[in-house]
Amino acid sequence: GAIKSKYSFWAICVMFGCIQGVNSAWQATFQETLGKGTSAHLSDSAIGWLGFFNQGANNLGCLASATVTDGIFRATGRRAYRAMLITCFGLSAAVCWLFAFGLSSAVWSSPLLDLGPTALVCIAVASGFTVGLGSPCAFELSAELGYPAVSEGLASTIIFCMWNAACFAVLFVPPAALKSSANLIISMTLTVMVVLCTTLREKYHRQDATA
């Protein structure tokens, strides 16, 4: 009943699930977009390490998020999750566009920026950190917006369902098309989601109930 009318709750679940799902699919294309035969011409071993460091940076971002949000809370008395999401995913969108401009795509046949393989690897790792930095905020905000109609566990489950649905949707993109458009898809997804984040109503139902 009540949860059906919670636009902001459903919006954050769908948006964050889509970001994570598309991000997971994007990481799986590193072999095609950065491997041998591409302008980056990275070895299989280097791409394997890139995936490792990208995920490591994501985990580090998740850990750093607690320090940042706690600092904001001590200063303002509020968590400011929406502002964190806009900032983190905005940075990630900028980083992914930079990555896309450094490689060929379905829109441009040759890289728009001469970044080099080292810079591309650093950018990909930075993207993992920025997405990780915003991830805990998305889970926490969904729990706050869903309370008391939806438990924290159910809110997380909905996000993971959206996450898997986004990954599944990408499977239907032909391999050749995905190779040439993966960087554009992740960049546009993050850009659109940042804009949609500005429409969220930030309510801290759990925090207010225990105040």
Side-chain angles (χ1 to χ4, degrees), residues 58-68 132-133 136:
N58 187 285
N59 294 334
L60 185 61
C62 289
L63 294 174
S65 179
T67 302
V68 175
L133 193 62

Side-chain angles (χ1 to χ4, degrees), residues 32-210:
E32 289 75 23
T33 58
L34 297 172
K36 296 177 181 178
T38 67
S39 57
H41 201 69
L42 295 180
S43 66
D44 293 344
S45 176
I47 292 173
W49 280 108
L50 170 58
F52 172 80
F53 284 114
N54 177 276
Q55 191 57 52
N58 187 285
N59 294 334
L60 185 61
C62 289
L63 294 174
S65 179
T67 302
V68 175
T69 52
D70 285 348
I72 294 174
F73 180 75
R74 286 193 296 269
T76 66
R78 289 287 181 175
R79 297 292 181 184
Y81 290 138
R82 185 178 66 172
M84 277 287 293
L85 288 173
I86 293 172
T87 301
C88 295
F89 294 147
L91 287 172
S92 190
V95 167
C96 285
W97 277 116
L98 186 60
F99 186 87
F101 292 152
L103 295 166
S104 59
S105 74
V107 178
W108 48 85
S109 58
S110 58
L112 299 180
L113 297 175
D114 185 14
L115 297 177
T118 302
L120 289 169
V121 168
C122 291
I123 291 170
V125 173
S127 173
F129 179 81
T130 53
V131 170
L133 193 62
S135 295
C137 298
F139 281 110
E140 285 296 319
L141 184 57
S142 68
E144 291 284 356
L145 293 172
Y147 183 88
V150 176
S151 66
E152 295 179 29
L154 180 55
S156 297
T157 299
I158 293 172
I159 288 176
F160 279 112
C161 286
M162 298 299 176
W163 184 333
N164 290 326
C167 283
F168 184 70
V170 175
L171 292 177
F172 291 94
V173 180
L178 183 60
K179 177 181 177 180
S180 62
S181 62
N183 297 324
L184 295 177
I185 291 173
I186 182 66
S187 301
M188 289 189 291
T189 298
L190 284 162
T191 302
V192 170
M193 297 311 174
V194 168
V195 174
L196 291 178
C197 273
T198 64
T199 68
L200 298 177
R201 294 185 62 189
E202 194 171 24
K203 296 289 185 179
Y204 295 92
H205 299 302
R206 293 183 307 172
Q207 183 175 309
D208 294 340
T210 57

